[in-house]
Amino acid sequence: SIAEVLIPVFTGFAIDCLVGAGAVDFVGLKKYAILIIIAAIVYLIFEWLQETFVNMLSNRTEKSIRDDIYKKFNKIPLKYIDSTSHGDLQSRMINDVEDLTSGILEGITSIFDAMMTIILTIYLMFRYSWPIATTVVVLTPISVLVTFIIAKKSNKYFFAQAKALGDIS
């Protein structure tokens, strides 16, 4: 959220108020300390609201999936139920749905938080130092590409290492 990104900004401004021995701007320091506390409280409130909303969405999705599975189980022939392990059926009904909804819960939260943090960080970087921000924006895709190339080329060595370790074991 915006408050999460603003906390380090306000902290930097507060540090700037600590000019040196005997030259501390206590009024500015107090102002930024209050802003940090307000930003932290706003962050916590919005984080709680986001978690509550995503949990509600996840629970509704889970209930809908479980209701659909229950309806399908009622249509399954008894021959299939008798020939299939009850643990397998329960696992599909409980564990798989639980894993799916956990993934939804974590995925939505992570994607939203990451997008907001990236957008706000880039905005603040351009606001305070456009040359550094431009450098970061240009170099980031290049570093991702280089990392991808290195990972792709080193992948065969990891497989060879795993095979050698398996042979030794």
Side-chain angles (χ1 to χ4, degrees), residues 78-142:
L78 284 175
K79 179 181 176 185
Y80 177 78
I81 293 174
D82 288 341
S83 65
T84 306
S85 165
H86 292 289
D88 184 41
L89 294 174
Q90 289 173 346
S91 174
R92 291 180 191 188
M93 179 96 174
I94 297 169
N95 297 337
D96 291 353
V97 173
E98 191 70 32
D99 290 343
L100 180 65
T101 53
S102 294
I104 290 171
L105 179 68
E106 292 173 15
I108 289 174
T109 304
S110 297
I111 288 171
F112 181 74
D113 282 348
M115 284 180 17
M116 291 302 294
T117 301
I118 289 169
I119 290 168
L120 291 170
T121 302
I122 290 173
Y123 166 74
L124 288 172
M125 286 187 337
F126 273 107
R127 185 160 181 237
Y128 293 111
S129 177
W130 68 268
I132 293 174
T134 304
T135 304
V136 169
V137 169
V138 169
L139 291 180
T140 299
I142 294 170

Side-chain angles (χ1 to χ4, degrees), residues 2-71:
I2 294 172
E4 182 182 13
V5 176
L6 288 178
I7 291 172
V9 173
F10 293 150
T11 303
F13 290 148
I15 291 170
D16 290 343
C17 292
L18 304 172
V19 178
V24 177
D25 178 10
F26 286 106
V27 174
L29 189 60
K30 180 181 175 183
K31 177 179 103 173
Y32 290 116
I34 291 170
L35 287 173
I36 290 169
I37 292 168
I38 291 170
I41 291 170
V42 168
Y43 168 71
L44 291 173
I45 290 169
F46 278 103
E47 193 69 20
W48 178 80
L49 288 172
Q50 176 184 336
E51 288 293 325
T52 302
F53 173 73
V54 172
N55 278 329
M56 286 174 29
L57 178 67
S58 176
N59 288 337
R60 287 182 184 158
T61 303
E62 182 176 0
K63 183 181 181 331
S64 173
I65 292 171
R66 286 180 192 250
D67 288 346
D68 290 347
I69 290 174
Y70 183 74
K71 288 176 188 172

